[in-house]
Amino acid sequence: MKRIKKIAIAAAFGLAAFASLALISCNEKSGGKNGTLAGSENEPGWKLNKDKKITFDWYINFSWFARHWGDSKVSKYITGKTGVDVNFIVPAGNEAEKLNTMIAGDALPDLITLGWYEGQVPMMIDSSLVYALDELAEDYDPYFFKIANPDKLGWYRQEDGHVYGYPNASYTPADYEKYAGKLTSNETFLVRKDIYEALGKPDMTTPEGFLAALRKAKQKFPTANGLPLIPFGTAEFTDVGNSQLQGVLQHFLALDPEKDGKFEDAALGLTENPEYIRWLKALRQAHEEGLIPTDIFVDKRSQIEEKAAQGRYFCMLYMNWDMQAPQNALYARDPNSIYVAVDGPKNTRGDEPKLAGGSIAGWTVTLISKKCKDKARAIQFLTYLISDEGQMDTNFGIPNETYTMVNGIPTLTPEVKALDSSDKNKQENEIGVLYTYWMLMDTAWQAQWGVEYAPSLEQPQLWTRPYVCSYAVYDGLTLPVGSDEDLIYQEIQRKWGKVLSNLIRASSEKEFDTILADYNKFKADKGLAKVQKIQTELMNKNKAKLAK
């Protein structure tokens, strides 16, 4: 962004005109026609402009997001405090199509939130469709640099030296030190508590123990709530595989993502690792014995969670936080029928799992479009949201109404807690606490207060704490969009999506070995080495970034 040089203006037009030109310059620097006042290093800009009402159009690149600003108490409270109202825009169908259409038409809304991993992020930056946040902050809200995390800014700094997006749910290496023992993972091996205990809490850390437990569960508990028991379940299979049977299984087996200094991408299948193959063969055996139904390959997330809410799975390799609704339903019916986390698959050495905690890349990034109606207010609103005050407001809500301070700790009122446990949708629509508006949530910051979980959700979360690891150096190994390596990667991924299910459904171990050998040859022939070379270079760049 080109800055106005007041001295040059004064020299060109004369000292007499300086006052009026300086006023124009100030208006331009402060956001233009809206007359927005710029903040300073000691005072955030949003406080100076809170009496000036503005509505931002904010695009959320997730079709499932169903919240509205202005319905809940928290959103009204924030608008009253900052003067900023929000109109959320959410795609009705395919997210990529909606966003690509806006990009192609140069019709981006004021703010954009999308996964950091989406190819549209570099596309928007390279096409100069979004502002550099650091430049906006220098001009309109230097206070941003006081509260923005320097490690996160460093992580997202582009080759031109600028930062265009700020992440949510990001955990820096310093967070892992500061909040050691308080961070959790979403990666769990879950069992239905009552069935697991009735079977004598079997050891399921080896393929033999895992298969034996599945057999006993099916034999002793053929039905659950009048429906056939499903001995094993996991996340949905997609055209590129299964997240739980790739990266998550790798973490349970404590497999290093690097081998001989090279990155090994679990998303392409660790099909030359004997520890990984050992467990895939166990799954094949389970399927052959009818312990894994064919439904597992076609069920979508909604169907999986419906079956979990019915208590139909004996065990699951699944994301524990995504089980909130099923767990609440089970707990209401019978507290002993919920799912609890136990030791899952281990490698032949019996090593403890290394479960992924939050990454430095986070989950999403938020950017400010060059079509933004007031870039100054936008960066100031972003500054507010990532500040401690903004985090208090979006997480806990309204002082003495939705939460009170108890021994120095913000604590939700009993009424809000109860509503969140019994009807989370109603809570988010009417109250709006606990990061209903998660676009810039700082979940590491939240850890300082300690997280109080509902009885239905607590055990799996707490179980993961001793095993949480940072995989920051492996974040963002995204190949250049449209590059040869990217095209190779996509082709191998799609092949793996078919191969993984074929391996589990193989009629014999001999057929399994044949499918595996064919896939390994396919990977090599397509150019896996080229992909690995670029990913390794990106990994080494990450190591250099994090070492600073």
Side-chain angles (χ1 to χ4, degrees), residues 6-320:
K6 293 182 181 178
I7 296 175
I9 293 173
F13 296 100
L15 194 56
F18 180 75
S20 60
L21 288 169
L23 179 59
I24 294 170
S25 174
C26 180
N27 284 340
E28 290 183 352
K29 184 172 181 177
S30 301
K33 61 184 180 182
N34 301 302
T36 302
L37 299 173
S40 68
E41 292 180 0
N42 298 313
E43 186 169 25
W46 69 266
K47 290 189 175 182
L48 303 176
N49 298 289
K50 59 187 179 182
D51 295 329
K52 301 170 186 175
K53 304 302 179 185
I54 189 171
T55 299
F56 284 125
D57 293 326
W58 194 335
Y59 177 74
I60 311 296
N61 196 45
F62 298 92
S63 59
W64 50 261
F65 181 68
R67 301 294 171 246
H68 300 280
W69 192 273
D71 290 348
S72 67
K73 289 184 177 181
V74 168
S75 61
K76 292 174 184 175
Y77 174 69
I78 292 173
T79 293
K81 172 184 281 195
T82 65
V84 177
D85 203 349
V86 173
N87 172 42
F88 286 128
I89 300 171
V90 180
N94 185 283
E95 291 92 345
E97 288 181 7
K98 173 73 172 176
L99 186 52
N100 288 340
T101 298
M102 291 192 296
I103 291 172
D106 192 17
L108 290 171
D110 303 300
L111 300 163
I112 308 106
T113 293
L114 72 166
W116 63 260
Y117 43 82
E118 300 288 359
Q120 290 91 346
V121 174
M123 187 187 302
M124 288 186 285
I125 294 172
D126 294 343
S127 300
S128 297
L129 297 178
V130 292
Y131 285 112
L133 300 184
D134 54 302
E135 289 189 326
L136 291 183
E138 284 176 9
D139 286 348
Y140 308 119
D141 205 22
Y143 198 83
F144 170 86
F145 296 109
K146 211 169 192 176
I147 53 97
N149 186 295
D151 289 338
K152 296 176 187 179
L153 294 179
W155 181 263
Y156 277 101
R157 198 172 304 282
Q158 304 296 308
E159 290 185 2
D160 63 4
H162 296 301
V163 179
Y164 294 87
Y166 200 83
N168 76 350
S170 169
Y171 293 77
T172 67
D175 288 329
Y176 276 86
E177 295 180 14
K178 185 176 182 180
Y179 302 120
K182 294 183 178 181
L183 302 182
T184 61
S185 174
N186 200 24
E187 302 177 346
T188 42
F189 181 74
L190 303 168
V191 294
R192 200 175 124 169
K193 184 174 183 290
D194 51 359
I195 297 178
Y196 181 69
E197 291 175 348
L199 296 178
K201 299 183 178 180
D203 181 350
M204 302 175 72
T205 61
T206 66
E208 296 76 19
F210 169 76
L211 289 167
L214 265 56
R215 292 175 188 129
K216 286 181 182 178
K218 185 177 181 182
Q219 179 185 3
K220 292 190 175 183
F221 300 91
T223 62
N225 297 314
L227 297 167
L229 181 80
I230 304 169
F232 174 78
T234 189
E236 67 179 89
F237 282 74
T238 70
D239 60 352
V240 293
N242 184 300
S243 61
Q244 303 300 292
L245 301 183
Q246 290 161 192
V248 176
L249 182 54
Q250 173 187 18
H251 298 159
F252 266 93
L253 300 180
L255 302 179
D256 197 326
E258 294 179 55
K259 184 177 180 182
D260 300 326
K262 295 179 181 178
F263 176 69
E264 290 195 315
D265 195 336
L268 302 182
L270 300 172
T271 50
E272 295 178 31
N273 188 301
E275 298 282 5
Y276 183 69
I277 298 308
R278 173 173 171 252
W279 275 93
L280 285 189
K281 286 189 173 183
L283 294 175
R284 188 212 70 78
Q285 183 67 36
H287 180 264
E288 182 183 345
E289 295 182 27
L291 303 172
I292 298 179
T294 303
D295 288 357
I296 197 175
F297 302 106
V298 295
D299 279 352
K300 298 302 180 186
R301 175 168 164 167
S302 59
Q303 295 167 300
I304 295 167
E305 292 185 13
E306 179 184 1
K307 290 175 179 178
Q310 296 166 339
R312 292 185 61 190
Y313 296 105
F314 163 53
C315 69
M316 303 178 76
L317 190 61
Y318 203 71
M319 306 79 69
N320 68 74

Side-chain angles (χ1 to χ4, degrees), residues 333-347:
R333 190 163 59 239
D334 177 3
N336 204 40
S337 69
I338 62 172
Y339 288 90
V340 294
V342 298
D343 287 347
K346 289 188 177 183
N347 61 34

Side-chain angles (χ1 to χ4, degrees), residues 358-476:
S359 67
I360 191 169
W363 169 28
T364 69
V365 287
T366 294
L367 308 96
I368 298 175
S369 160
K370 286 192 176 177
K371 292 292 183 179
C372 182
K373 61 177 63 75
D374 191 330
K375 56 192 175 184
R377 290 294 293 279
I379 189 64
Q380 291 168 3
F381 190 49
L382 192 150
T383 297
Y384 156 73
L385 288 172
I386 66 174
S387 70
D388 284 356
E389 185 168 354
Q391 293 298 309
M392 285 292 291
D393 293 347
T394 50
N395 189 19
F396 297 105
I398 308 167
N400 300 317
E401 184 172 341
T402 62
Y403 77 95
T404 58
M405 298 301 291
V406 179
N407 298 323
I409 297 174
T411 305
L412 293 175
T413 64
E415 296 77 14
V416 173
K417 277 185 192 175
L419 180 60
D420 188 69
S421 294
S422 63
D423 194 337
K424 194 168 188 66
N425 280 331
K426 186 175 182 181
Q427 182 279 111
E428 292 192 348
N429 281 320
E430 297 183 3
I431 309 296
V433 295
L434 298 177
Y435 293 128
T436 296
Y437 308 105
W438 43 259
M439 298 79 203
L440 286 158
M441 66 179 177
D442 187 344
T443 40
W445 172 91
Q446 184 189 33
Q448 69 181 297
W449 308 111
V451 181
E452 187 175 349
Y453 301 105
S456 57
L457 308 175
E458 182 177 47
Q459 190 273 347
Q461 286 287 303
L462 300 183
W463 183 90
T464 66
R465 285 184 172 177
Y467 312 116
V468 172
C469 298
S470 172
Y471 286 88
V473 295
Y474 311 112
D475 287 350

